[in-house]
Amino acid sequence: MANIEHFRAFVLAAELGSFSAAARQMGKAQSAVSTAIANLEIDADVQLFDRSGRNPVLTAAGAALLPNARGILLGNQEFLARATSMSQGVEGHLCMAIEQGISIKPLLDLLRAFTSTFAHVSLEIVTPDPTDMAALLKQGRAELGLMIEQEGYPTGFQFRGVGYSRTVPVTAHDHPLATLAQVRHADLRKYRELVPQSRQSAETARTDRRKSPSVWYAENPMLVLELVAQGFGWAELPYSIIADRLRTGDLAQLNYAFQQSDILQGVDAVWTEQRALGVAGQWMLNKLLELPQDVWREGEQVA
Amino acid sequence: MANIEHFRAFVLAAELGSFSAAARQMGKAQSAVSTAIANLEIDADVQLFDRSGRNPVLTAAGAALLPNARGILLGNQEFLARATSMSQGVEGHLCMAIEQGISIKPLLDLLRAFTSTFAHVSLEIVTPDPTDMAALLKQGRAELGLMIEQEGYPTGFQFRGVGYSRTVPVTAHDHPLATLAQVRHADLRKYRELVPQSRQSAETARTDRRKSPSVWYAENPMLVLELVAQGFGWAELPYSIIADRLRTGDLAQLNYAFQQSDILQGVDAVWTEQRALGVAGQWMLNKLLELPQDVWREGEQVA
DNA sequence: AGTTTATATCTGAATTACAGATAGATGGAT
DNA sequence: ATCCATCTATCTGTAATTCAGATATAAACT
């Protein structure tokens, strides 16, 4: 049956323009290459080389099939490479859960480095609702999480701060709050607050008492963004997802009277104790911890 | 050595969750599958299945490598499929030369149909200067050409009209010509004409005496477009490449007093007699000839 | 416990792959 | 024109492999 080496013979012969040369390079007899290619031609029912001359010359069919043969060879190489990578304890897949609203821009260089360091590890990034984060990690769906820091994590979870995410209060540009030079608590309470969280997680979790009595919840920050843009109320949203619309004047940033308007929320890397991180996951975690703080302030013009 | 069938055994076993079932489906003995996979594991130096239970279960490594194995199988399938396609006289590659300025929009459906009818034929589209077209076809670099019709073609070329391309005279929106309700020859002669052709081809070829005494030539229509937009003069350009900029008001269409401003130039399919078209090329030519005329009037609001 | 169905392993047979040798052919050098 | 080096196809016998069948054993199910 078709053997990988036979494809190698084909490709080498095509590249070198000689069966003998290919045989020498493969450390085999010339006859081996000759019959291997002949068999390939029988199996495929095409002439791969024109043998009328002293040296074989690729036919049109051979030239067209050469990339395919190379593809098979590459596939085999990758199979082996990935296998040895895994036999050395490197996992084949790493899933990172990055909470919605945390920008991946600060991570782009890191991800680039990952692809070159762990070429054989496929990377998956999921962006769950904060509520789902724990489940994802617990059931092993994701190995490593990035989320806005909480007061406490359930037992079994490890966490370390790795950076921060800037959250900014905004409204639509034509919202009454946008006209105020200083926004006081009393002003906020007059209008609807839009919270990028599911209701249930917001009620159980964290520190924050909402600032307004009228609150809408939406699971998806982008949804909240849309609602804010449509004038439904105000929200505190990650800078990364509103930067563009602040620039276009679509949205307006509020200026809090009672505190710094820019709210810096810590970003934690989270993982479970039970599931040991693989080599690639470990690497990713270390690089996250080493990340210089200034990569987190993107497009910065802090108010 | 690693045999394609062994990878198939791996994939089938993984899919069916059973070596025996895989063996049955392959028409082989169970022991063959068992040893094939065992050998794969030795070669790759990884455990692919966890055999502690009654049925083998993929390990993490096995799951990670499964897509790779599938890739190899697919590669092999494609190799064979393409080979049989070619053994039936279908060429492996078709190169079409489409003259710069002819829009490919009317052809999109046709190209889509091509990809499904000739899945194993790779398609290449080059967009040469009209001057280069003949050379490309003659030397076999391209099998089929689409170009603006000429009065005569060199011997050895076949040609058939397949459609038309709309050419429209334009200037920048703030060009003096743009203010005229009717543009006469005398007006045109006052300003620089920009011709999307190399000087040499324009001098040797065709009917057209340029309308203005001051002429600039540029090989690339997009370059001409830029020059026109910058106010360097006026040009007759294919509607397809200026449609957007007409819409944004960046460019303005001129209204000829002496003829229809919209100049419909025929598009010819051109090929050489010597190089017989393959099955796919023949198909493409036939479909081009059958193309209903109305696909050629795109975004039409004819003046 | 008994039955069924699974996998690993062993053995011998059949197939296949290969090295080495041979013959014919080609292209370049003399 | 002749010779030489080198190419490829093919033949032959041997070595390696692949595989089916048989056997042992383990797991799930009745």
Side-chain angles (χ1 to χ4, degrees):
Chain A
M1 275 301 116
N3 189 314
I4 299 281
E5 288 291 286
H6 298 159
F7 288 105
R8 205 157 79 89
F10 168 40
V11 171
L12 271 176
E15 282 170 352
L16 300 172
S18 154
F19 291 1
S20 309
R24 282 192 292 272
Q25 193 151 330
M26 295 173 71
K28 296 196 170 181
Q30 170 260 324
S31 61
V33 172
S34 183
T35 54
I37 292 177
N39 287 334
L40 226 51
E41 289 179 320
I42 291 168
D43 288 348
D45 193 27
V46 265
Q47 195 90 356
L48 296 175
F49 289 95
D50 171 17
R51 291 151 164 98
S52 64
R54 170 182 167 85
N55 281 345
V57 176
L58 273 180
T59 61
L65 289 171
L66 187 56
N68 293 64
R70 281 213 185 87
I72 294 173
L73 251 45
L74 251 181
N76 187 57
Q77 263 177 247
E78 275 169 22
F79 184 93
L80 257 23
R82 191 172 208 185
T84 55
S85 151
M86 297 204 63
S87 73
Q88 286 162 8
V90 180
E91 63 270 38
H93 188 80
L94 177 65
C95 181
M96 292 184 67
I98 301 180
E99 184 177 319
Q100 285 180 13
I102 297 182
S103 168
I104 60 162
K105 279 185 200 156
L107 307 177
L108 289 181
D109 283 336
L110 180 49
L111 296 183
R112 238 186 301 281
F114 183 85
T115 59
S116 53
T117 310
F118 296 99
H120 303 300
V121 181
S122 58
L123 181 68
E124 180 184 16
I125 297 178
V126 294
T127 55
D129 189 73
T131 333
D132 306 328
M133 181 68 81
L136 252 65
L137 290 170
K138 204 117 208 174
Q139 67 199 29
R141 177 72 185 75
E143 282 86 27
L144 200 53
L146 280 184
M147 58 191 300
I148 302 296
E149 65 181 343
Q150 297 181 191
E151 298 212 319
Y153 291 89
T155 54
F157 283 94
Q158 302 264 40
F159 63 96
R160 294 272 284 282
V162 297
Y164 61 88
S165 170
R166 190 147 66 94
T167 300
V168 170
V170 286
T171 59
H173 71 284
D174 53 357
H175 191 277
L177 283 174
T179 62
L180 301 177
Q182 294 259 312
V183 176
R184 293 162 302 132
H185 264 124
D187 302 317
L188 289 177
R189 296 180 57 83
K190 282 190 259 175
Y191 300 96
R192 186 181 298 108
E193 178 176 2
L194 300 164
V195 178
Q197 258 180 32
S198 69
R199 168 113 191 251
Q200 114 192 27
S201 72
E203 282 181 349
T204 60
R206 312 201 188 188
T207 157
D208 48 15
R209 192 129 314 153
R210 310 289 7 150
K211 295 188 180 69
S212 168
S214 165
V215 180
W216 280 11
Y217 297 91
E219 278 193 307
N220 189 328
M222 297 312 284
L223 195 59
V224 171
L225 179 61
E226 212 43 60
L227 291 171
V228 170
Q230 297 299 321
F232 281 92
W234 62 275
E236 293 178 349
L237 287 171
Y239 180 75
S240 61
I241 67 171
I242 55 166
D244 281 344
R245 307 185 73 151
L246 278 181
R247 211 170 296 123
T248 60
D250 196 12
L251 297 181
Q253 177 169 356
L254 301 183
N255 197 17
Y256 282 166
F258 49 90
Q259 69 177 46
Q260 183 97 346
S261 276
D262 283 14
I263 303 151
L264 295 185
Q265 292 180 296
V267 172
D268 280 346
V270 191
W271 66 102
T272 67
E273 288 165 344
Q274 61 208 55
R275 293 181 187 277
L277 283 173
V279 176
Q282 205 76 50
W283 181 94
M284 182 68 84
L285 177 58
N286 286 335
K287 293 291 182 184
L288 279 171
L289 296 174
E290 291 168 8
L291 223 49
Q293 285 300 304
D294 57 1
V295 302
W296 293 91
R297 41 178 232 193
E298 28 153 345
E300 201 80 350
Q301 74 277 22
V302 185
Chain B
M1 272 302 116
N3 189 314
I4 299 279
E5 287 292 284
H6 297 158
F7 288 104
R8 203 157 82 88
F10 168 40
V11 171
L12 271 175
E15 282 170 354
L16 299 172
S18 155
F19 291 2
S20 310
R24 281 192 292 274
Q25 192 151 332
M26 295 173 71
K28 297 196 170 182
Q30 169 261 324
S31 61
V33 172
S34 182
T35 54
I37 292 178
N39 286 335
L40 226 52
E41 288 178 319
I42 292 168
D43 288 349
D45 193 26
V46 264
Q47 194 91 355
L48 296 175
F49 288 96
D50 172 17
R51 294 158 164 91
S52 63
R54 169 184 168 85
N55 282 345
V57 176
L58 272 180
T59 61
L65 289 172
L66 187 56
N68 294 64
R70 281 212 185 88
I72 294 172
L73 251 47
L74 251 180
N76 188 56
Q77 262 178 250
E78 275 169 23
F79 183 93
L80 258 22
R82 192 172 207 185
T84 56
S85 151
M86 297 203 65
S87 74
Q88 286 161 9
V90 180
E91 64 269 38
H93 187 81
L94 177 65
C95 180
M96 291 183 66
I98 301 180
E99 184 177 320
Q100 284 180 13
I102 297 181
S103 169
I104 60 161
K105 278 184 200 156
L107 306 177
L108 289 181
D109 283 337
L110 179 50
L111 296 182
R112 239 187 301 280
F114 183 85
T115 60
S116 53
T117 310
F118 297 99
H120 303 300
V121 181
S122 57
L123 182 68
E124 179 184 15
I125 297 177
V126 295
T127 55
D129 189 73
T131 333
D132 305 329
M133 181 68 79
L136 251 65
L137 290 170
K138 203 115 208 175
Q139 68 198 29
R141 177 70 184 76
E143 283 86 27
L144 199 54
L146 280 185
M147 58 190 302
I148 301 297
E149 66 180 345
Q150 298 181 189
E151 297 212 319
Y153 291 90
T155 55
F157 283 95
Q158 302 264 39
F159 63 95
R160 294 273 283 281
V162 296
Y164 61 87
S165 170
R166 191 147 65 94
T167 299
V168 170
V170 287
T171 60
H173 73 283
D174 53 357
H175 191 277
L177 284 174
T179 61
L180 302 177
Q182 295 259 310
V183 176
R184 291 162 303 133
H185 265 124
D187 301 319
L188 289 178
R189 296 179 57 80
K190 281 189 259 175
Y191 300 97
R192 186 182 297 108
E193 178 175 2
L194 300 164
V195 179
Q197 258 179 32
S198 68
R199 167 110 192 254
Q200 114 193 24
S201 71
E203 281 182 349
T204 61
R206 312 203 190 190
T207 159
D208 47 16
R209 194 130 312 155
R210 310 294 0 154
K211 296 188 180 68
S212 168
S214 166
V215 181
W216 279 12
Y217 297 91
E219 278 193 306
N220 189 327
M222 298 312 284
L223 195 59
V224 170
L225 179 61
E226 212 42 60
L227 291 171
V228 170
Q230 296 299 320
F232 280 92
W234 61 274
E236 292 178 351
L237 287 171
Y239 181 74
S240 60
I241 66 172
I242 55 166
D244 282 344
R245 307 185 74 150
L246 279 180
R247 210 171 297 124
T248 60
D250 196 12
L251 297 181
Q253 177 169 356
L254 300 184
N255 196 17
Y256 281 166
F258 50 89
Q259 70 178 46
Q260 183 98 342
S261 275
D262 283 15
I263 303 150
L264 294 185
Q265 291 179 297
V267 172
D268 280 346
V270 191
W271 66 103
T272 67
E273 288 164 344
Q274 60 207 54
R275 293 180 187 277
L277 283 173
V279 176
Q282 205 76 51
W283 181 95
M284 182 67 87
L285 177 57
N286 286 334
K287 293 291 182 186
L288 279 171
L289 295 173
E290 290 168 10
L291 223 48
Q293 285 300 304
D294 58 359
V295 302
W296 292 93
R297 40 178 233 194
E298 27 150 348
E300 201 81 348
Q301 73 278 20
V302 185

